[in-house]
């Protein structure tokens, strides 16, 4: 393979941004080859159209391999990973609708009661996959009417065909109660968290029992969950205009490079690129 062709295959790029005319929605369009997403979760939903290659998504129920024409569906707070399933990587156009946006569309179609949740991890639906890419295209062109129309149509189709009431997650048993209490402590003391041993002692349990209960409740060990939580809080600070270096210290990272490393792994773009994408304007054309 010629050097230029090899470079084209391996080139990674990503845009994570917001369009001011589509409130309650984040947009990510990317091509990843070597990048891998560690275990993390989202406050809202994920609706991703794979447009090239293969994406491997690690979910609680196993690994999903999604190719062109597939739509990956992930509910809020579901821990997952993502990586390339073939050497050339994968390309996708992703919608990250908030809980409020999903609830609004669900209320409009009137077929779901309670909090909606997707009942499938991945579906083969070339039509919806194409519509999702058109949402991105319309937003990038500044066509608010088309973008909003296509967005609501794609979400309504997924909710009508592949959703039901999202089960309420109740905390039961001593282990689950300890896990919830540990989560609250880590949120409160995010910048200076206790060790696992000290945290367990504060909750009057053992480190191993707490670790096991936390994994069962949140799908990842406490230190992995804390890194994800720090990145989420850093995103909120960046959204509010905080400089990356200040956000890094505020959430407990040692410095900005430490934030950059974890932020890029979990969000898919650097903090600087993320901040630029919050302006609400249209992104530049591909280079």
């Amino acid at each position: 393979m010629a050097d230029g062709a090899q470079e084209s295959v391996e080139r990674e790029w990503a845009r994570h941004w917001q369009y001011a005319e589509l409130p309650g929605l984040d947009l990510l369009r990317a091509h990843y080859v070597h990048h891998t997403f560690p275990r993390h979760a989202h406050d809202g939903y994920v609706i991703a159209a794979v447009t090239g290659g293969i994406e491997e998504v690690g979910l609680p129920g196993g690994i999903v391999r999604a190719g062109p024409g597939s739509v990956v569906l992930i509910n809020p707070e579901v821990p997952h990973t993502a990586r390339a399933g073939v050497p050339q990587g994968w390309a996708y156009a992703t919608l990250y609708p908030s809980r409020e946006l999903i609830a609004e569309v669900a209320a409009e179609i009137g077929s779901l009661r309670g909090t909606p949740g997707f009942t499938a991890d991945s579906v083969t639906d070339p039509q919806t996959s194409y519509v999702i890419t058109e949402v991105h295209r319309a937003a990038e062109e500044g066509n608010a009417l088309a973008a909003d129309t296509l967005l609501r149509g794609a979400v309504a189709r997924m909710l009508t065909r592949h959703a039901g009431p999202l089960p309420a997650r109740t905390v039961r048993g001593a282990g689950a109660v300890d896990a919830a209490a540990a989560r609250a402590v880590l949120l409160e003391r995010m910048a200076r968290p206790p060790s696992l041993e000290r945290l367990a002692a504060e909750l009057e349990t053992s480190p191993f029992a707490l670790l096991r209960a936390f994994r069962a409740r949140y799908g990842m060990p406490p230190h992995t969950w804390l890194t994800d939580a720090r990145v989420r809080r850093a995103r909120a600070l960046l959204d509010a205009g905080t400089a990356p270096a200040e956000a890094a210290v505020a959430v407990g990272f040692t410095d900005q490079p430490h934030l950059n490393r974890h932020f890029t792994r979990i969000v898919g773009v650097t903090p600087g690129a993320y901040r630029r994408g919050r302006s609400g304007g249209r992104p530049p054309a591909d280079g």
Side-chain angles (χ1 to χ4, degrees):
M1 179 180 290
D3 291 343
Q6 181 69 31
E7 181 180 351
S8 176
V9 168
E10 294 187 352
R11 185 175 73 92
E12 294 190 324
W13 58 267
R15 295 199 187 102
H16 194 297
W17 68 296
Q18 287 181 329
Y19 179 40
E21 301 298 328
L22 296 178
L25 179 76
D26 274 24
L27 298 155
L28 171 65
R29 194 160 62 87
H31 174 219
Y32 294 118
V33 180
H34 305 293
H35 184 82
T36 60
F37 288 89
R39 192 164 302 280
H40 65 289
H42 298 277
D43 292 326
Y45 296 77
V46 179
I47 304 175
V50 178
T51 58
I54 298 291
E55 179 188 18
E56 285 191 351
V57 186
L59 290 159
I63 295 177
V64 170
R65 287 175 56 87
S70 299
V71 179
V72 177
L73 303 167
I74 303 176
N75 291 317
E77 304 302 341
V78 172
H80 59 282
T81 62
R83 65 183 182 184
V86 289
Q88 64 266 34
W90 86 97
Y92 62 173
T94 303
L95 308 174
Y96 296 103
S98 66
R99 299 179 192 228
E100 293 76 16
L101 177 56
I102 291 291
E104 180 183 333
V105 175
E108 290 175 355
I109 61 179
S111 59
L112 293 171
R113 293 184 178 181
T115 302
F118 294 120
T119 55
D121 298 325
S122 176
V123 298
T124 300
D125 189 336
Q127 178 180 340
T128 301
S129 179
Y130 172 75
V131 171
I132 291 170
T133 65
E134 288 299 292
V135 173
H136 280 258
R137 184 190 302 275
E140 290 167 359
E141 293 174 351
N143 188 338
L145 178 61
D148 197 11
T149 301
L150 293 167
L151 168 66
R152 291 175 183 274
V155 171
R157 181 179 172 97
M158 292 295 95
L159 290 176
T160 301
R161 297 188 171 201
H162 309 291
L166 190 65
R169 297 191 66 179
T170 56
V171 177
R172 296 177 180 173
V177 171
D178 287 342
R183 178 184 182 275
V185 170
L186 294 176
L187 278 175
E188 182 181 354
R189 292 151 60 181
M190 181 177 292
R192 300 189 66 180
S195 67
L196 178 63
E197 183 176 2
R198 181 169 297 178
L199 179 59
E202 290 181 15
L203 299 175
E204 300 182 349
T205 185
S206 72
F208 182 75
L210 180 59
L211 175 60
R212 183 172 54 191
F214 201 97
R215 281 182 183 272
R217 181 70 175 84
Y218 300 109
M220 59 187 96
H223 71 280
T224 302
W225 181 92
L226 179 60
T227 298
D228 187 32
R230 283 172 166 170
V231 169
R232 289 201 210 185
R233 186 168 293 180
R235 288 181 62 175
L237 292 172
L238 294 174
D239 288 346
T242 304
E246 295 177 14
V249 175
V251 303
F253 290 119
T254 54
D255 51 25
Q256 186 174 339
H258 192 197
L259 167 67
N260 289 356
R261 182 167 67 255
H262 289 292
F263 193 100
T264 303
R265 290 177 66 220
I266 289 174
V267 182
V269 297
T270 65
Y274 178 86
R275 286 187 77 196
R276 290 191 294 273
R278 316 315 275 179
S279 63
R282 285 177 285 166
D286 285 343

